[in-house]
Amino acid sequence: MKKFFLIFILALIPFASTTVSAESDLPLNSEAGIVIDAKSGKVLYEKNMNKKMYPASLTKVATAIYAIEHGDQDELVTVSKKAAEADGSSVFIEPGEEIELSKLIAGMLINSGNDAAIAIAEHMSGSEKLFMEDLNEFLRKEVNVTDTHFMNPHGLFDKNHVTTASDLAKITRYAMKNATFREYFGNKDLPWKVKTWDTTLVTHHKMLKGEIPYKGITGGKTGFVSKSGYTLISTATRGEQDLIAVTLNAPSGKVAYSDTELLFNYGFENFKSAKIDKKSILYSADHSKHYKLNEDLYYTHLISDEPSLKTSNDGILSIMNKEGKAIASFDLKTVAEVRNTEVPARIKKETIHEEANKLSVPSLEWGGFVISIILMTVFLKKSRKNRRTRY
């Protein structure tokens, strides 16, 4: 009986599959581009993602999340002459006008107001220069960017105002964890009444406002100056999967959107997000320790793949593919509560990572399913025969 159930369990274990790579060369026309899984941070595809480039108004994503996290959203901001006279796109605010910080942030994101960006910077740090010191430090220490240095809060051209597609994806991923930012970033329009202007602001992002429809689009920010070309950040969700796409220096707006669609389609059609629930308890390989997670853990795998979980004796949880290669790993000592576990030697020898099996819920492979049915049938026939023999 015990042998039968062991065989039955083994028959249900799925065949492993390939690494997290969907070998493809996307025909992107933008100079740089990237698409990431927003939950795991996994890079699904990239082109020149670490090349330093000019972001234009994509800069405002960083200004917005900093102001949301460090400012009082209900405070009134007094607009300076410098802010009101900012070059480029504007929300038409006037010197001396008092406007709520939350309203300026939303207007800056939706209508890309350079005047709003300067007003926010001066309010937050006392001057635009000091704000840039604060913002750059925040991006390095809190968001962990490595190749970004911003010279202003709006993105008008400066030869030293640079970032990368990779860093912009990180900044957007960080920002999208904030509910207030997500609300502003996903707004298609905003009633706007200031001293000299009573209107409705409409997002510049053509996918978001439906001019270029895309299923699942949740937010976006556009950018353009002649030195940067057309730049674009977009977010989209389908089912449990959240993606972030960035394109830099496209030759036209049309190309920026078509490249974004290519990146999104590639991500949604080839990859899947998976979660290890924070309520789970994992055991070390020798069962001497167990780990109670403090947070949900996310990883990304090919849609065709059903990875297995493996925990080492020193607390490293690895997500393994068919070839025995780790496609993701977590140090459980930093994301879980660690405790010693007293487990009888017999159980240590016979137990097959029960928690790992629970977490990696397999879809039954036909081969294993057929074998299981055959074995069950044989077992039942044998049981009936034994009962007839006794009687």
Side-chain angles (χ1 to χ4, degrees), residues 16-311:
S17 58
T18 58
T19 62
V20 182
S21 173
E23 301 295 333
S24 180
D25 187 14
L26 300 183
L28 297 185
N29 290 306
S30 298
E31 186 175 351
I34 189 172
V35 61
I36 70 168
D37 184 320
K39 290 178 178 175
S40 69
K42 179 74 177 178
V43 176
L44 308 183
Y45 188 88
E46 61 87 14
K47 174 185 176 182
N48 295 329
M49 71 174 186
N50 294 317
K51 183 175 182 178
K52 290 185 179 181
M53 300 177 69
Y54 305 125
S57 285
L58 304 190
T59 305
K60 295 180 175 100
V61 169
T63 298
I65 188 57
Y66 179 85
I68 289 169
E69 289 195 350
H70 295 83
D72 181 342
Q73 300 301 292
D74 296 325
E75 275 187 353
L76 291 176
V77 176
T78 302
V79 179
S80 71
K81 186 174 184 293
K82 178 183 177 182
E85 294 177 351
D87 293 332
S89 55
S90 173
V91 289
F92 298 99
I93 50 182
E94 290 292 305
E97 189 171 5
E98 294 186 333
I99 305 173
E100 294 92 344
L101 178 61
S102 60
K103 186 174 180 178
L104 284 173
I105 297 170
M108 176 185 67
L109 284 175
I110 294 170
N111 207 57
S112 205
N114 295 334
D115 48 357
I118 294 175
I120 291 166
E122 292 176 335
H123 176 78
M124 294 293 300
S125 301
S127 72
E128 188 176 354
K129 181 180 178 180
L130 289 176
F131 178 79
M132 297 323 299
E133 293 177 7
D134 294 338
L135 179 60
N136 284 316
E137 182 179 23
F138 162 75
L139 293 175
R140 286 192 302 271
K141 293 184 177 179
E142 301 298 323
V143 188
N144 297 316
V145 301
T146 55
D147 296 297
T148 294
H149 182 76
F150 290 148
M151 298 296 292
N152 59 62
H154 40 66
L156 288 177
F157 177 74
D158 184 299
K159 66 179 181 180
N160 296 315
H161 187 98
V162 294
T163 186
T164 65
S166 176
D167 277 359
L168 285 171
K170 287 180 184 178
I171 293 167
T172 307
R173 182 185 179 221
Y174 178 96
M176 288 295 284
K177 294 177 183 179
N178 184 289
T180 300
F181 178 88
R182 287 198 305 274
E183 178 187 349
Y184 296 162
F185 200 59
N187 275 347
K188 297 179 182 179
D189 51 57
L190 177 72
W192 188 258
K193 186 175 182 179
V194 291
K195 188 174 180 180
T196 59
W197 207 25
D198 186 354
T199 188
T200 296
L201 303 181
V202 179
T203 179
H204 295 176
H205 196 288
K206 293 183 178 181
M207 281 181 167
L208 185 58
K209 66 181 175 182
E211 191 173 322
I212 300 177
Y214 190 82
K215 180 183 176 183
I217 196 78
T218 58
K221 182 74 191 77
T222 62
F224 173 80
V225 293
S226 59
K227 297 282 189 179
S228 74
Y230 290 84
T231 63
L232 197 64
I233 293 175
S234 310
T235 59
T237 297
R238 291 185 186 176
E240 297 300 314
Q241 190 174 21
D242 302 330
L243 299 184
I244 297 169
V246 180
T247 60
L248 296 176
N249 195 20
S252 69
K254 183 178 180 180
V255 167
Y257 287 107
S258 62
D259 281 355
T260 296
E261 185 173 354
L262 280 172
L263 290 167
F264 276 151
N265 288 344
Y266 176 80
F268 285 126
E269 291 170 5
N270 290 285
F271 298 94
K272 181 179 179 181
S273 297
K275 180 178 78 170
I276 303 173
D277 194 278
K278 65 181 178 182
K279 296 179 182 178
S280 303
I281 297 176
L282 298 168
Y283 291 87
S284 59
D286 61 3
H287 285 74
S288 63
K289 294 183 178 65
H290 66 270
Y291 305 89
K292 186 178 183 302
L293 297 178
N294 299 322
E295 59 188 55
D296 293 333
L297 301 180
Y298 292 93
Y299 61 95
T300 308
H301 62 86
L302 287 169
I303 287 176
S304 59
D305 197 6
E306 288 290 349
S308 61
L309 309 185
K310 179 181 178 181
T311 308

Side-chain angles (χ1 to χ4, degrees), residues 295-367:
E295 59 188 55
D296 293 333
L297 301 180
Y298 292 93
Y299 61 95
T300 308
H301 62 86
L302 287 169
I303 287 176
S304 59
D305 197 6
E306 288 290 349
S308 61
L309 309 185
K310 179 181 178 181
T311 308
S312 67
N313 288 339
D314 58 356
I316 302 300
L317 171 64
S318 298
I319 315 300
M320 311 298 294
N321 69 4
K322 175 183 179 179
E323 295 148 355
K325 182 177 179 181
I327 58 175
S329 63
F330 305 92
D331 188 345
L332 295 176
K333 297 184 291 295
T334 64
V335 296
E337 185 179 318
V338 186
R339 293 181 181 178
N340 291 327
T341 305
E342 291 298 327
V343 183
R346 179 181 60 81
I347 296 178
K348 286 183 182 180
K349 184 176 180 180
E350 296 180 359
T351 301
I352 305 176
H353 291 283
E354 296 177 3
E355 289 300 325
N357 288 335
K358 290 178 184 177
L359 294 171
S360 182
V361 182
S363 57
L364 299 180
E365 297 285 350
W366 279 109

